[in-house]
């Protein structure tokens, strides 16, 4: 028959070993979990590094898509110039791809309101079609592709836009209202995207300069 001391030792040993076994099992599970988490973090880091390595290609692809995206037309707005003392002229030109027509509107204002046309035209377009791209934005995409963009300084790149969803005819009607005059219309070479617009902008600017209120 076992002595009382022996029973006590067995009972105490059992009391101690059970929690230790539980802790050992949990530590093992925790180690497995930590190992799994470490592997996941490592995999995530590898994926992020791969994405970073690919980003230049992604940026180039986006730039290509933007510069070659089909357009319905475009709006060119020039910076105001003083044609006569106290009279400043901003020229707005709208191109309609369907008709290949460029409609040019000289807008005459006094010095205090010489930037009015740019603000009003750009505001109307962006309020109705906020996702239209400006010449300024598209020039940056061209730079990503190392394409040369030679647009004269007389053009306001921030308030000139390509049309992807805007209606060129509606914009022409609006410009007729604020300019108070009928446009000078010229048929030019068909332009299908920003890339072609940049390449053919010399002809566009020639018509704008010819009808900029100096006649």
């Amino acid at each position: 028959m076992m002595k009382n001391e022996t029973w006590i030792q067995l009972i105490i040993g059992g009391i101690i070993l059970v929690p230790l076994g539980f802790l050992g099992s949990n530590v093992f599970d925790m180690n497995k979990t930590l190992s799994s988490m470490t592997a996941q973090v490592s995999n995530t880091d590898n994926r992020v590094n791969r994405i970073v390595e690919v980003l230049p290609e992604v940026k180039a692809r986006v730039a290509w898509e933007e510069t070659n995206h089909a357009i319905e037309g475009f709006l060119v707005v020039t910076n105001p110039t003083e044609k006569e003392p106290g009279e400043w002229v901003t020229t707005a030109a709208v191109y309609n791809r369907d008709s290949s027509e460029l409609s040019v509107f000289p807008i005459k204002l006094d010095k205090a309101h010489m930037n009015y046309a740019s603000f009003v035209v750009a505001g109307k377009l962006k309020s109705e079609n906020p996702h239209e791209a400006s010449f300024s934005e598209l020039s940056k995409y061209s730079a990503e592709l190392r394409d040369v963009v030679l647009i004269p300084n007389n053009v306001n790149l921030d308030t000139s836009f390509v049309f992807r969803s805007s209606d060129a005819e509606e914009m022409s009607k609006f410009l007729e209202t604020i300019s108070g005059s009928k446009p000078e219309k010229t048929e030019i070479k068909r332009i299908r995207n920003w890339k072609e617009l940049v390449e053919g902008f010399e002809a566009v600017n020639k018509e704008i300069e010819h009808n900029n209120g100096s006649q």
Side-chain angles (χ1 to χ4, degrees):
M1 192 170 179
M2 298 179 71
K3 294 181 179 180
N4 290 338
E5 291 85 359
T6 304
W7 281 109
I8 292 170
Q9 289 174 357
L10 288 172
I11 293 169
I12 292 173
I15 293 171
I16 294 172
L17 288 174
V18 170
L20 285 176
F22 177 78
L23 287 172
S25 175
N26 278 340
V27 167
F28 178 74
D29 290 338
M30 287 174 65
N31 283 336
K32 286 201 308 185
T33 303
L34 288 172
S35 296
S36 175
M37 289 176 63
T38 301
Q40 290 178 21
V41 169
S42 179
N43 289 336
T44 301
D45 286 342
N46 289 336
R47 285 198 298 272
V48 170
N49 289 334
R50 288 198 297 271
I51 291 169
V52 170
E53 289 172 2
V54 173
L55 269 177
E57 296 179 13
V58 174
K59 289 169 66 177
R61 181 63 183 176
V62 170
W64 189 93
E65 292 286 351
E66 288 292 325
T67 56
N68 287 275
H69 195 291
I71 62 174
E72 299 297 324
F74 58 80
L75 166 70
V76 179
V77 178
T78 68
N79 294 310
T81 56
E82 190 174 23
K83 295 299 178 181
E84 296 180 10
E87 182 182 88
W88 294 74
V89 176
T90 294
T91 304
V94 177
Y95 172 75
N96 187 331
R97 190 194 64 184
D98 292 337
S99 63
S100 293
E101 277 188 341
L102 184 73
S103 301
V104 183
F105 301 82
I107 305 171
K108 301 177 181 179
L109 297 164
D110 58 32
K111 184 176 181 179
H113 302 92
M114 64 180 181
N115 291 310
Y116 169 84
S118 296
F119 296 149
V120 169
V121 173
K124 174 180 172 57
L125 187 144
K126 292 299 281 186
S127 65
E128 296 178 354
N129 297 288
H131 301 299
E132 302 290 49
S134 69
F135 282 20
S136 178
E137 293 169 313
L138 290 165
S139 293
K140 292 176 183 176
Y141 285 121
S142 292
E144 290 286 343
L145 300 173
R146 293 182 172 83
D147 290 339
V148 177
V149 177
L150 298 175
I151 295 181
N153 292 332
N154 68 309
V155 175
N156 188 327
L157 300 182
D158 294 323
T159 59
S160 299
F161 298 86
V162 298
F163 297 156
R164 291 174 182 168
S165 55
S166 299
D167 189 319
E169 286 300 314
E170 285 300 315
M171 179 56 70
S172 290
K173 291 177 183 177
F174 176 72
L175 289 172
E176 187 173 327
T177 299
I178 66 171
S179 67
S181 62
K182 295 287 185 181
E184 292 288 336
K185 294 189 176 185
T186 308
E187 188 171 335
I188 63 174
K189 181 180 177 180
R190 186 175 175 85
I191 297 173
R192 297 172 297 179
N193 53 44
W194 167 253
K195 190 176 181 68
E196 291 185 2
L197 171 56
V198 170
E199 292 171 352
F201 198 80
E202 184 178 351
V204 173
N205 196 53
K206 183 179 179 181
E207 292 301 325
I208 292 174
E209 286 291 296
H210 179 70
N211 298 288
N212 68 354
S214 60
Q215 68 270 31

